[in-house]
Amino acid sequence: MTENNPLDALLAACHWIGEKGWCPATGGNMSVRDGDSHCLITESGKDKGQLTADDFLQVEIATNHVPSGRIPSAETGLHTLIYGLYPEVGAVLHTHSVNSTVLSRVEHSNGLVLQGYEMQKSLAGQRTHLDEVVIPIFDNSQDIPALAAEIAQWAQSHPLHYGFLVRGHGLTCWGKNVAEARRHLEGLEFLFQCELQLRLLEAK
Ligand SMILES: [Zn+2]
């Protein structure tokens, strides 16, 4: 998939996410990189299934400053954190699916271990179901700057790949472009559903 216009690709991804039901009730937020120092992110309070290009705001990655003065999504600081840490990231998707919400509460540790699934290969660089993929889980907070600082601290010693979960809240995932971010989102959502069903069966 070529992305001559990343915002068009992101808009299509937002509509797809809306159809999947992964961002109910205006939750979640999506962004694309806009050059080295900015990103474009969804405006607060919009239905992700019905976004248009006018619903994206330019934000400075280093400062979270919004030149237009409009209000971006509440979790903008988590997007700019990822763009700032990883210059190769081109798109970030944050969703509130049932599976990511529930699984991040069922798993009490600070990392969800995925192992034994063929679909792990939907994640960039993964070649075999035999490896372990660990998706970090951070406790939820309404203080996004504090949460971003905690994640940044963690990432200093544990480089982040693909995405992270916020407990009882949802998934933030990314890729080098919108297509890869979409693949990671779809792959992780599939893996979360498998893991939840497996745990339910094993608990019986
Ligand atoms: Zn959220």
Side-chain angles (χ1 to χ4, degrees), residues 40-118:
L40 298 167
I41 189 165
T42 41
E43 190 165 20
S44 182
K46 300 281 183 174
D47 184 332
K48 302 305 171 293
Q50 300 183 359
L51 290 175
T52 69
D54 289 340
D55 296 320
F56 289 83
L57 309 183
Q58 191 185 49
V59 178
E60 188 174 21
I61 291 168
T63 63
N64 290 319
H65 176 65
V66 182
S68 67
R70 286 158 68 190
I71 308 295
S73 286
E75 292 129 333
T76 295
L78 301 183
H79 292 245
T80 53
L81 168 71
I82 297 302
Y83 290 121
L85 285 174
Y86 306 114
E88 69 275 17
V89 170
V92 178
L93 306 173
H94 169 61
T95 51
H96 292 177
S97 72
V98 172
N99 286 339
S100 62
T101 299
V102 174
L103 191 54
S104 60
R105 297 192 66 180
V106 170
E107 175 59 58
H108 296 293
S109 77
N110 62 3
L112 174 70
V113 178
L114 300 165
Q115 199 270 335
Y117 297 109
E118 177 68 14

Side-chain angles (χ1 to χ4, degrees), residues 27-29 74-75 78 94-96 140 144 166 169-172:
N29 28 78
E75 292 129 333
L78 301 183
H94 169 61
T95 51
H96 292 177
N140 197 18
I144 297 300
V166 177
H169 180 159
L171 170 68
T172 298

Side-chain angles (χ1 to χ4, degrees), residues 140-189:
N140 197 18
S141 172
Q142 303 305 319
D143 185 342
I144 297 300
L147 180 57
E150 180 189 343
I151 296 170
Q153 175 87 27
W154 173 266
Q156 282 187 2
S157 50
H158 308 79
L160 300 169
H161 303 285
Y162 323 119
F164 59 80
L165 286 160
V166 177
R167 205 177 306 283
H169 180 159
L171 170 68
T172 298
C173 67
W174 54 85
K176 64 186 178 188
N177 52 26
V178 174
E180 187 175 86
R182 273 180 74 146
R183 197 184 78 230
H184 287 167
L185 173 59
E186 193 167 28
L188 286 169
E189 283 290 346

